[in-house]
Amino acid sequence: MKQDKPAAKQQVSWVGYAALFFALIFFSGIFSDAENWTRVLDFTVLQGSFGIIGETGKAIFRGTGGTGARDGFMFALSLMPSVILALGVVSVIEGLGGLVAAERLLSPFLRPLLGVPGVSGLALIASFQSTDAGAGMTKALYEAGDLTDEERTVFGAFQVSGAAPITNYFSSGAGLFQFLSVPIIIPFVVMLVFKVLGANVIRLYIKTVAKKKAVA
Amino acid sequence: MSNAQAPVSRQSLMDMFVAGARRGWNVATNNMVPNVIMAFVLIQALNVTGLLEIVGKAFGPVMALWGLPGEAAAALIASFLSMGGGVGVTASLYTAGKLSGPDVTVLMPAIFLMGALLQFMGRCLGTAGVDSRHYPVIIGVCIANALLSMWVMRLILILF
């Protein structure tokens, strides 16, 4: 944990908070139907659309009625721009300090929300991007004495359900964005809420069932 | 406050975007394309053999609890093994006309909440050193998370 401590004290400039705010707007779809220039603030607008082939007025290069591996390949090709754009934008937000800003905003709520100390904020944000980084940092927190074994179990349960949500949702998940009938960010928020709920079920379980077993 | 201490790197916005886009390209080619092809071949095989219809019928009554067709069970089972597989199966069921847009919306958080649990037991809980006695309960909670999230998404859909 030693090498992580200085990072935890980094200053967050207003740019970081602005980037985080932008990210929420960008994936929220608030501006997707705007009629003026503010449309530029929306993922689906910047994603644009494929051109139409021929005069059918419908089919893009994928064609219609395909099946099997060939259709899967053409379909996957049509999803690639979403994945590339989503991760490009996530990278800009990360580079501007948006994730550090999120960590700063979340830290005070970790104790009430998950029962883990605020110092776990960095591991939490890391776990949003990489399952392995989050798990590794959690182990380090335990070894440094910042987390008890029980807190580690709750924190681990939080991480494993919907693991690495930023990376997985905005890469693999981006392939499904175009079929969603709600703004992109809504399933993501539902996911985060359930991550917290699930972790609290485990928190309760540890406090009651697991403790009793240990005593008996 | 001061830019010197901020985590802002010296890269330009364009460099940052391109670096992320490159990661996106790698994820798409190494991960998404193979997963989607796997899923399309799987669904094609299930379709040709008539098994998809059987899966649809067998899981129909259960999935109806969430207003989903029985075939949606295939997406959930696949996601338990890998998130990419879950996304791929969902996409192929959508293009085959078995799932609608709202159906995909309902499934979306669930694919990730119970996603790749088989793999993440080791990669996440194992690495963090969580006591393996608790694994079954944690896995149960992940699956409960996924099933409950589908009802929440159904409710949210009413608003749109």
Side-chain angles (χ1 to χ4, degrees):
Chain A
M1 229 11 238
K2 282 260 151 57
Q3 71 274 31
D4 292 327
K5 285 253 160 84
K9 278 177 192 156
Q10 260 178 354
Q11 297 289 334
V12 183
S13 70
W14 64 270
V15 179
Y17 291 104
L20 181 64
F21 183 67
F22 165 78
L24 295 177
I25 298 281
F26 190 69
F27 291 110
S28 72
I30 292 174
F31 289 110
S32 61
D33 296 324
E35 307 255 308
N36 51 18
W37 65 270
T38 53
R39 286 184 339 128
V40 77
L41 294 172
D42 190 75
F43 177 82
T44 48
V45 171
L46 288 195
Q47 178 176 242
S49 53
F50 288 111
I52 289 161
I53 294 174
E55 287 166 15
T56 57
K58 255 191 179 175
I60 58 160
F61 62 83
R62 184 185 160 205
T64 51
T67 54
R70 287 180 160 176
D71 190 41
F73 179 71
M74 294 307 281
F75 175 67
L77 268 188
S78 74
L79 300 181
M80 287 180 68
S82 311
V83 178
I84 295 169
L85 172 61
L87 285 193
V89 172
V90 167
S91 166
V92 169
I93 289 156
E94 187 190 345
L96 291 177
L99 295 181
V100 186
E103 179 214 328
R104 205 54 42 84
L105 291 175
L106 282 172
S107 288
F109 300 104
L110 287 181
R111 182 60 82 185
L113 273 182
L114 291 173
V116 299
V119 67
S120 327
L122 200 62
L124 181 126
I125 294 298
S127 82
F128 274 24
Q129 294 182 89
S130 152
T131 312
D132 308 293
M137 288 168 73
T138 304
K139 187 178 171 64
L141 281 169
Y142 171 76
E143 282 169 353
D146 290 321
L147 283 182
T148 66
D149 186 46
E150 285 155 11
E151 287 166 351
R152 171 169 68 172
T153 304
V154 174
F155 202 26
F158 170 81
Q159 290 175 30
V160 79
S161 188
I166 294 181
T167 307
N168 287 317
Y169 188 78
F170 291 101
S171 62
S172 307
L176 297 175
F177 284 175
Q178 54 192 297
F179 312 137
L180 292 179
S181 31
V182 298
I184 293 164
I185 205 149
I186 289 191
F188 185 72
V189 171
V190 168
M191 218 159 87
L192 296 188
V193 169
F194 272 100
K195 274 170 84 78
V196 173
L197 277 179
N200 278 288
V201 172
I202 295 294
R203 202 171 156 192
L204 203 69
Y205 156 80
I206 295 229
K207 264 196 192 136
T208 56
V209 186
K211 269 269 170 67
K212 264 182 206 147
K213 265 191 201 151
V215 172
Chain B
M1 283 162 65
S2 70
N3 280 334
Q5 280 182 306
V8 178
S9 59
R10 296 199 172 238
Q11 283 181 313
S12 73
L13 288 181
M14 278 181 254
D15 289 338
M16 290 176 204
F17 182 89
V18 170
R22 190 173 292 122
R23 218 180 326 142
W25 168 269
N26 287 333
V27 169
T29 51
N30 293 326
N31 200 304
M32 193 194 66
V33 173
N35 265 303
V36 167
I37 290 183
M38 179 275 293
F40 270 68
V41 170
L42 176 73
I43 293 296
Q44 172 82 336
L46 290 177
N47 216 351
V48 168
T49 53
L51 282 171
L52 189 61
E53 215 189 317
I54 296 174
V55 168
K57 281 202 179 121
F59 287 94
V62 183
M63 299 314 292
L65 287 173
W66 294 277
L68 292 169
E71 286 87 349
L76 290 179
I77 294 165
S79 74
F80 186 76
L81 305 174
S82 106
M83 291 178 181
V87 167
V89 169
T90 306
S92 66
L93 288 173
Y94 176 88
T95 60
K98 307 266 187 204
L99 293 177
S100 66
D103 292 340
V104 173
T105 312
V106 168
L107 284 168
M108 192 74 170
I111 291 171
F112 297 96
L113 284 168
M114 62 181 277
L117 283 179
L118 228 45
Q119 186 195 133
F120 286 148
M121 252 191 290
R123 252 176 81 191
C124 177
L125 299 178
T127 307
V130 171
D131 192 334
S132 57
R133 270 186 314 144
H134 301 312
Y135 282 13
V137 182
I138 294 177
I139 298 298
V141 166
C142 292
I143 294 173
N145 268 351
L147 299 182
L148 293 172
S149 75
M150 297 198 291
W151 274 314
V152 171
M153 290 308 294
R154 261 293 161 223
L155 284 178
I156 290 175
L157 269 174
I158 297 172
L159 303 173
F160 288 89

